[in-house]
Amino acid sequence: MSLVDATRSVMNSRRLPPLLVFGLLGGILLVYFALPFAVFLGRTGSIPVVETLLETSSTTAVRNSLLTAPAATAVATAFGVPLAYVLARKTFPGKRLIEALVVLPLVVPPVVGGAMLLSVMGRFTPIGAAAARVGVPLTGSLLGVVLAQMFVAAPFVVITARAGFGAVDERLEQASRSLGYGPIATFRHVSLPLASRAIVAGIVLTFARAMGEFGATMMVAYNPRTMPTRIWVDFISGGIDAIVPLALALLAVTLVVVVTVQQFAGVPTVVER
Amino acid sequence: MTLKLDGLSHRYESGRALNDVSLALDDGELVALLGPSGCGKTTVVQAIAGHLNPTAGQVSLRETDVTSAPPENRNVGLVFQQPTLYPHMTVSENVAYGLKSGDLSAEQVSNRVDRYLELVELAGRHDASPESLSGGESRRIELARALAPEPDVLLLDEPLSALDKGLRARLRDETIRIQQETGVTTLFVTHDQEDAMSVADRLVVLRDGEVVAAGPPRELYDSPPTRFVASFLGRSNELSARVESDESSLVTIGGTDIAVDALTDKFTDVPRAAIHVRPSDLTVRSMTRSGKSSSEIESMSDRSGVSADGGAPNERLGTIRMPGTVANVRDMGRRYDVCVEVDSGESVTVERHRGGLHENERVTVTAAVSDLTVFPVSERTSD
């Protein structure tokens, strides 16, 4: 009996479910995801969550996050979706470069990204100084927070929306053009509705990333505090237990928004195709 | 002229797709643009619809040059090979889509939708979602959507290719009926010669981006202008023919000699030619059993006037006989395809309605000279 035959007969005799190995490997990762959540949340019992959250420092952080993250998401969507459409539809020289540029903010560590933003719009750069002079400081302000969040989170909506537009058969758009609609009307009536699932998924990812943004925000606008920067401050002064209330609130707010958007748009978070 | 292409050429980055294509469609005409895949058919469609900017040449619709006009200003209806119904709209919204871009009132739009759904025999399916339609139904809805704005020209780009055979034949008839009822000028693009021949008033054959033939289907089928058309429009056998020497009045086809005069005058200037003959125009008989089952064979050879003994010289009787060996026999259901290797080494396919022949059997293949099409071969080997 050859080695191959021997292996085969062993395999046949056991009749393993075909996805067992994959399931086991994936399961390990799932446990690794779930365990920290469970243990961390297990600490809540001994901590006055509600009281802590009602303190001014907490409410301000929640308010700041809820002002900045949606704003950053909205701006990223307004500029990112058109970019995604161009990338999905056009080939042009240097497209690879543009695509790399879109991914760059994901690759650069957020702290470094923040430092790079500072080098452009810090208080002592021409742009930053000019903006501060007219009363809209780009650092140490809510606007600064928005700019930092946008830099880090916008690639998500671009990449996801691009995949969504790419999945729309170009002939559907051609048919629309031949039925009398110009390029923009075609985009509105055909491309946008058909890519909407992917776009919403991208918006959700961008929002979740913006809500949790810490590294770049810390560099550009340590004040006013958002929930992540507040959590950092609390952690420095009070350790893990001190951050449980705000961490819970951050989790809750993000989850509520994500679930609401999903319900509203009726889509899963992860792009299906 | 409703549609006119003048010297249309296009070059993609990867190479040339169209070279100097000119064609014209009269009002209400149904013309088939036929060619093998990759010959540039879709490029022609895209250029007419305006989804592509040709490198050179002119597209005119109703005597107006539209070469640089965007698709939405052309009034061209388009049906693709793959379904392009909008999945986020109902059937009636799909049909109404092209009407709402114009200046029709809501009532006119809904009347028009009703009319065209009726035309394609799908009245009452207004609220169906495109996903719930069968393949044939969604084809017809697409036809309705393309026709509802009453385009000057309807372009059908391989509309039947994705369908199975029975449905295909039915939709082909349906397409002809709808075209006749609406009278819309139609360019039917296909790689399928059967679709093209059965549908069109006129055929335009495209090959490697060039128009190689144009005319009524039957004319092109019976007297193909080139070897390519002969083999592409229906099945064809090709045999080489050679005049043995300058003085000779005999020409050799498939190992048999025949008088040059019997063929055609085309042949006189060149020593070589390619002979095409349809498989259905050939008959095949067994050499060994010809004696006892002669009655079976006679009916087939009657029209060429061959006597039962077959002893008369070929040329006078207007037939050629080529001895050969059966290479294989394919049972196609309603006929047999008999592949015979004639003694010159070339092989021919013969359509036959009876079985009874076997591999390696010695046979005689007979053709009436009137059924042969002669293409002189010049120095170039291609046509």
Side-chain angles (χ1 to χ4, degrees):
Chain A
M1 191 187 260
S2 74
L3 187 59
V4 176
D5 289 338
T7 320
R8 261 190 209 138
S9 67
V10 169
M11 296 287 281
N12 285 341
S13 62
R14 291 228 190 108
R15 297 292 297 163
L16 292 174
L19 288 181
L20 186 69
V21 175
F22 298 91
L24 282 176
L25 290 174
I28 292 170
L29 188 62
L30 287 179
V31 169
Y32 183 67
F33 285 164
L35 195 63
F37 270 93
V39 176
F40 183 79
L41 295 178
R43 287 170 174 256
T44 44
S46 54
I47 299 162
V49 174
V50 179
E51 289 83 340
T52 319
L53 281 177
L54 288 175
E55 288 167 17
T56 324
S57 62
S58 302
T59 52
T60 311
V62 172
R63 193 204 65 191
N64 285 345
S65 274
L66 285 181
L67 282 175
T68 53
T73 308
V75 178
T77 305
F79 292 106
V81 170
L83 175 60
Y85 187 62
V86 173
L87 289 179
R89 281 290 173 259
K90 281 281 164 206
T91 48
F92 48 85
K95 187 179 176 188
R96 280 288 163 94
L97 216 63
I98 304 274
E99 287 172 334
L101 191 61
V102 170
V103 189
L104 209 56
L106 294 180
V107 181
V108 170
V111 182
V112 179
M116 296 194 308
L117 284 178
L118 276 183
S119 71
V120 175
M121 57 190 207
R123 209 165 276 277
F124 304 109
T125 64
I127 296 174
R133 221 174 302 127
V134 293
V136 278
L138 302 181
T139 55
S141 63
L142 284 178
L143 182 57
V145 174
V146 170
L147 291 172
Q149 288 175 340
M150 229 184 81
F151 184 80
V152 174
F156 288 99
V157 71
V158 179
I159 292 165
T160 322
R162 189 220 151 123
F165 287 128
V168 176
D169 189 339
E170 210 169 340
R171 280 169 293 208
L172 265 62
E173 292 173 358
Q174 292 184 343
S176 167
R177 296 288 301 276
S178 284
L179 287 166
Y181 293 84
I184 294 185
T186 293
F187 177 80
R188 203 156 54 82
H189 293 297
V190 176
S191 328
L192 200 57
L194 290 178
S196 63
R197 289 167 144 260
I199 295 170
V200 170
I203 291 173
V204 165
L205 284 174
T206 297
F207 175 77
R209 184 69 188 83
M211 275 300 281
E213 209 319 288
F214 172 70
T217 314
M218 184 189 68
M219 298 294 278
V220 175
Y222 195 43
N223 279 298
R225 298 263 147 73
T226 60
M227 288 162 83
T229 43
R230 181 80 241 166
I231 286 172
W232 175 245
V233 172
D234 290 349
F235 178 69
I236 294 296
S237 60
I240 291 177
D241 284 344
I243 72 165
V244 168
L246 260 185
L248 279 178
L250 182 56
L251 201 61
V253 169
T254 312
L255 273 180
V256 165
V257 171
V258 168
V259 169
T260 310
V261 171
Q262 281 184 9
Q263 286 298 312
F264 178 67
V267 291
T269 319
V270 182
V271 186
E272 280 167 350
R273 271 177 271 196
Chain B
M1 288 300 151
T2 306
L3 167 68
K4 192 157 167 259
L5 302 184
D6 208 359
L8 202 66
S9 294
H10 191 68
R11 179 175 275 284
Y12 290 110
E13 268 167 45
S14 49
R16 200 179 64 187
L18 289 183
N19 187 27
D20 199 20
V21 170
S22 298
L23 60 91
L25 269 67
D26 269 329
D27 198 27
E29 211 179 3
L30 204 175
V31 172
L33 183 64
L34 176 67
S37 43
C39 73
K41 299 182 300 272
T42 295
T43 309
V44 172
V45 170
Q46 297 269 306
I48 298 171
H51 298 303
L52 176 146
N53 206 357
T55 320
Q58 207 185 50
V59 180
S60 309
L61 287 165
R62 295 209 182 282
E63 316 293 337
T64 317
D65 179 10
V66 295
T67 316
S68 53
E72 59 269 26
N73 295 346
R74 293 198 183 193
N75 202 18
V76 168
L78 195 49
V79 174
F80 293 96
Q81 178 177 355
Q82 273 84 18
T84 57
L85 290 178
Y86 300 121
H88 59 298
M89 301 180 192
T90 63
V91 162
S92 64
E93 283 168 345
N94 264 288
V95 179
Y97 185 74
L99 301 170
K100 287 180 178 157
S101 63
D103 41 15
L104 297 175
S105 71
E107 201 191 323
Q108 285 171 310
V109 168
S110 88
N111 286 342
R112 194 83 78 86
V113 169
D114 290 346
R115 181 139 54 88
Y116 279 89
L117 282 181
E118 217 160 281
L119 177 73
V120 299
E121 295 176 341
L122 283 172
R125 296 301 299 272
H126 289 77
D127 297 325
S129 94
E131 272 130 22
S132 68
L133 300 176
S134 71
E137 286 172 336
S138 62
R139 291 282 74 182
R140 297 203 302 230
I141 297 295
E142 274 194 60
L143 213 48
R145 184 180 70 178
L147 287 170
E150 296 175 351
D152 288 338
V153 173
L154 177 66
L155 303 174
L156 304 173
D157 190 0
E158 303 266 7
L160 307 175
S161 302
L163 303 170
D164 56 51
K165 216 174 170 190
L167 186 57
R168 197 185 165 118
R170 244 183 303 143
L171 264 166
R172 195 161 60 194
D173 296 345
E174 189 86 326
T175 308
I176 298 171
R177 174 184 67 80
I178 290 168
Q179 197 271 339
Q180 282 168 350
E181 266 177 48
T182 54
V184 63
T185 312
T186 304
L187 187 66
F188 186 103
V189 176
T190 180
H191 69 272
D192 186 298
Q193 51 92 14
E194 200 181 305
D195 282 351
M197 289 201 57
S198 60
V199 158
D201 307 326
R202 201 149 57 82
L203 282 188
V204 175
V205 183
L206 201 63
R207 184 200 189 190
D208 292 339
E210 295 187 37
V211 174
V212 292
R218 177 48 67 181
E219 210 168 277
L220 292 186
Y221 183 84
D222 284 342
S223 41
T226 66
R227 289 157 72 185
F228 171 75
V229 175
S231 57
F232 191 65
L233 274 187
R235 309 201 304 161
S236 184
N237 291 301
E238 184 172 302
L239 292 164
S240 69
R242 223 174 43 243
V243 178
E244 289 299 350
S245 62
D246 284 348
E247 317 82 70
S248 174
S249 63
L250 290 181
V251 51
T252 311
I253 300 169
T256 329
D257 287 343
I258 184 171
V260 167
D261 326 340
L263 274 177
T264 142
D265 45 351
K266 266 198 222 168
F267 211 169
T268 49
D269 359 346
V270 283
R272 299 201 314 121
I275 307 288
H276 275 258
V277 57
R278 304 277 176 204
S280 53
D281 291 338
L282 290 174
T283 52
V284 59
R285 62 195 284 192
S286 171
M287 279 184 181
T288 50
R289 285 179 295 165
S290 60
K292 37 184 170 172
S293 61
S294 58
S295 62
E296 169 191 326
I297 290 129
E298 284 335 299
S299 59
M300 289 177 160
S301 348
D302 270 350
R303 62 196 168 112
S304 44
V306 181
S307 61
D309 57 1
N314 290 325
E315 60 267 29
R316 259 178 235 140
L317 291 161
T319 64
I320 61 166
R321 293 171 168 232
M322 298 170 285
T325 311
V326 175
N328 61 59
V329 181
R330 298 266 173 269
D331 187 345
M332 311 299 284
R334 61 192 163 93
R335 61 158 201 268
Y336 295 87
D337 280 358
V338 182
C339 184
V340 178
E341 191 183 321
V342 293
D343 290 351
S344 64
E346 293 165 301
S347 65
V348 293
T349 303
V350 183
E351 284 179 12
R352 185 179 151 97
H353 294 278
R354 301 165 194 267
L357 289 172
H358 305 287
E359 264 178 51
N360 298 324
E361 195 170 343
R362 290 291 294 165
V363 291
T364 309
V365 176
T366 311
V369 168
S370 57
D371 290 330
L372 305 182
T373 315
V374 181
F375 299 104
V377 178
S378 50
E379 300 319 306
R380 290 187 309 133
T381 37
S382 71
D383 51 289

